[in-house]
């Protein structure tokens, strides 16, 4: 599968990902919804990939998924994703919203071809990488928070999304309804993300946030800040929820040496709030906290603070270091790293490229 696509690097789609706004770098093998799955220019290569993948699906993956998850139906989306040097290196923490059951087959080996890779997280802070070897497969339902961070090397994977129907006509907004009504905060948050109306989304987020789920508290804070569902924007209330979410991540971190995902993200949003209040010193401290926990957007803002000297001393070397670390996570940091190397440090044009 890799050899077929390594010979055609320009055949990969470079759309903007809905999770983190980064470029996707994916090749769609089949899809019930994506028009690019029927693009005649790449039909021959798709046919070659299907000759490889369909027997594996039919003989190994589908029987396993159907035995494990009896409500699962058809594979409605199948694609190859790549994470190469100087391209996308991360896929931010997320749920697979269009998927009832997801399957990820590693086409490379952790520790040999790349470091890092596929991780899972609780939503309270703990983050664990799964050291997948070539051919190893992860099967999970869409209530699993997960993501990708390739620290070194290159990673390729084959991903599939099952729905709970045979004609790919599922109504995702009905998934996890029973669990959500039983007050499961993860299910409530998923219901909010799949809700048919903004008001429904707001109500589920509010309930999950009040139940103490840090990621729901983060999303509810954003809903308050943005004025979701015709509610008046309430930045002070949003900041309070960001703080509660941040503290939830920090509590979980007490028992873990791993990166605290939630605390970093909430530090970022609290930093933005302090920026709006013109408290630049406080904003910089919060961005620094978020950056320490590995949050890419906080790293980017901290780089800006060091570059421009607001909230503390100006330091172009530290600004460059933070932009470069954040370049794994955000397009803006990639651009700023380029500018720092090509304009501020003109001898380093090779590094800028």
């Amino acid at each position: 599968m890799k050899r077929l696509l390594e010979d055609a690097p320009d055949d990969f789609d470079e759309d903007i990902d809905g999770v983190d706004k980064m470029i996707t770098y994916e090749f769609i093998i089949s899809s019930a919804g994506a028009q690019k799955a029927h693009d005649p220019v790449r039909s021959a290569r798709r046919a070659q990939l299907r000759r490889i993948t369909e027997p594996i699906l039919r003989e190994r993956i589908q029987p396993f998924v159907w035995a494990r998850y009896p409500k699962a139906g058809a594979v409605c989306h199948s694609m190859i994703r790549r994470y190469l040097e100087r391209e996308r290196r991360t896929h931010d923490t997320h749920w697979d919203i269009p998927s009832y059951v997801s399957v990820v087959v590693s086409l490379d080996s952790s520790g040999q071809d790349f470091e890092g890779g596929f991780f899972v997280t609780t939503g309270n802070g703990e983050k664990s990488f799964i050291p997948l070897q070539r051919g190893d497969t992860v099967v999970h339902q869409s209530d699993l928070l997960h993501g990708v961070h390739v620290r070194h090397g290159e990673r390729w994977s084959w991903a599939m999304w099952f729905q709970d129907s045979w004609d790919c006509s599922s109504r995702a907004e009905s998934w996890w309804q029973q669990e959500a009504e039983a007050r499961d905060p993860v299910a409530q948050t998923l219901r909010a993300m799949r809700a048919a109306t903004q008001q429904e989304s707001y109500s589920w987020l509010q309930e999950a946030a009040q139940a103490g789920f840090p990621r729901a508290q983060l999303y509810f804070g954003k809903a308050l800040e943005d004025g979701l569902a015709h509610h008046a924007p309430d930045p002070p209330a949003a900041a309070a929820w960001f703080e509660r979410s941040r503290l939830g991540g920090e509590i979980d971190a007490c028992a873990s040496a791993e990166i605290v995902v939630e605390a970093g993200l909430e530090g970022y949003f609290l930093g933005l709030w302090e920026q709006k209040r013109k408290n630049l010193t406080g904003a910089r401290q919060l961005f620094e906290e978020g950056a320490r926990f590995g949050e890419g957007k906080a790293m980017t803002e901290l780089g800006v603070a060091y570059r421009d000297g607001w909230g503390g001393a100006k330091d172009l070397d530290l600004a460059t270091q933070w932009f470069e670390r954040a370049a794994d996570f955000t397009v803006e940091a990639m651009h700023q790293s380029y500018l720092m190397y090509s304009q501020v440090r003109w001898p380093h044009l090779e590094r800028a490229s």
Side-chain angles (χ1 to χ4, degrees):
M1 293 168 73
K2 275 185 64 177
R3 283 197 296 269
L4 282 173
L5 292 172
E6 283 174 333
D7 293 338
D10 295 336
D11 279 1
F12 276 73
D13 292 320
E14 297 185 7
D15 300 326
I16 300 300
D17 193 287
V19 171
D20 52 17
K21 312 307 179 188
M22 299 284 278
I23 294 174
T24 54
Y25 295 109
E26 63 188 27
F27 185 99
I28 299 175
I29 302 172
S30 63
S31 178
Q35 291 298 318
K36 291 183 178 181
H38 309 288
D39 173 12
V41 175
R42 293 174 287 184
S43 60
R45 201 169 301 277
R46 277 197 303 273
Q48 289 177 299
L49 287 168
R50 284 175 182 156
R51 283 195 288 271
I52 298 172
T53 59
E54 286 179 358
I56 301 171
L57 263 174
R58 185 172 57 251
E59 297 167 14
R60 305 187 68 175
I61 293 175
Q62 287 175 326
F64 180 89
V65 170
W66 293 335
R68 182 80 174 181
Y69 304 104
K71 292 183 180 180
V75 174
C76 298
H77 194 80
S78 174
M79 62 186 169
I80 305 291
R81 275 195 169 142
R82 74 185 190 203
Y83 298 83
L84 306 185
E85 296 283 358
R86 303 181 188 236
E87 286 187 355
R88 180 179 186 150
R89 308 297 287 162
T90 62
H91 199 176
D92 206 2
T93 304
H94 65 284
W95 288 293
D96 288 342
I97 296 302
S99 175
Y100 184 73
V101 174
S102 297
V103 178
V104 180
V105 180
S106 182
L107 304 183
D108 298 295
S109 294
S110 174
Q112 179 178 333
D113 302 305
F114 65 89
E115 294 181 16
F118 185 95
F119 66 80
V120 297
T121 178
T122 62
N124 291 339
E126 187 175 355
K127 179 179 179 182
S128 300
F129 285 89
I130 300 178
L132 298 173
Q133 302 301 294
R134 184 177 294 114
D136 284 353
T137 302
V138 176
V139 181
H140 65 87
Q141 288 193 277
S142 58
D143 61 341
L144 180 71
L145 270 173
H146 63 285
V148 174
H149 184 188
V150 179
R151 293 170 176 152
H152 300 288
E154 299 181 350
R155 175 181 180 267
W156 295 61
S157 62
W158 170 29
M160 289 144 277
W161 294 341
F162 284 74
Q163 290 190 7
D164 63 346
S165 63
W166 297 104
D167 60 358
C168 299
S169 62
S170 299
R171 294 177 62 252
E173 63 271 18
S174 68
W175 296 343
W176 307 107
Q177 180 173 347
Q178 184 176 349
E179 292 84 356
E181 291 173 350
R183 300 182 182 275
D184 181 325
V186 175
Q188 291 172 336
T189 309
L190 284 166
R191 291 277 292 167
M193 298 179 72
R194 293 172 172 140
T197 67
Q198 288 190 354
Q199 183 56 52
E200 183 185 0
S201 179
Y202 184 96
S203 298
W204 282 119
L205 282 178
Q206 185 176 34
E207 192 166 343
Q210 290 171 343
F213 183 41
R215 182 155 286 258
Q217 292 170 337
L218 166 65
Y219 291 163
F220 187 56
K222 281 297 293 173
L224 290 169
E225 183 180 48
D226 297 340
L228 184 69
H230 307 296
H231 293 267
D234 192 344
W241 280 108
F242 292 150
E243 177 66 11
R244 290 178 67 175
S245 182
R246 183 177 70 92
L247 292 175
E250 286 184 336
I251 291 169
D252 191 67
C254 293
S256 174
E258 296 291 331
I259 293 173
V260 181
V261 178
E262 306 305 323
L265 199 53
E266 280 73 65
Y268 165 71
F269 283 114
L270 284 167
L272 293 181
W273 167 241
E274 293 301 326
Q275 264 189 320
K276 291 177 182 178
R277 297 177 60 221
K278 307 300 181 185
N279 178 13
L280 298 184
T281 300
R284 179 163 168 165
Q285 289 173 351
L286 285 161
F287 289 142
E288 189 164 5
E289 178 181 330
R292 285 201 315 272
F293 289 132
E295 213 313 293
K297 292 184 284 291
M299 293 181 195
T300 304
E301 292 295 333
L302 185 59
V304 172
Y306 277 118
R307 183 196 65 194
D308 297 342
W310 56 256
K314 184 174 183 176
D315 191 322
L316 296 182
D317 289 328
L318 283 175
T320 305
Q321 289 175 26
W322 282 114
F323 283 140
E324 192 164 11
R325 287 182 63 180
D328 276 359
F329 302 91
T330 74
V331 174
E332 175 62 21
M334 292 181 189
H335 178 62
Q336 292 299 332
S337 297
Y338 161 76
L339 292 178
M340 296 300 285
Y341 277 109
S342 63
Q343 296 179 16
V344 179
R345 288 158 176 74
W346 58 267
H348 301 288
L349 294 179
E350 182 179 353
R351 184 63 175 163
S353 69

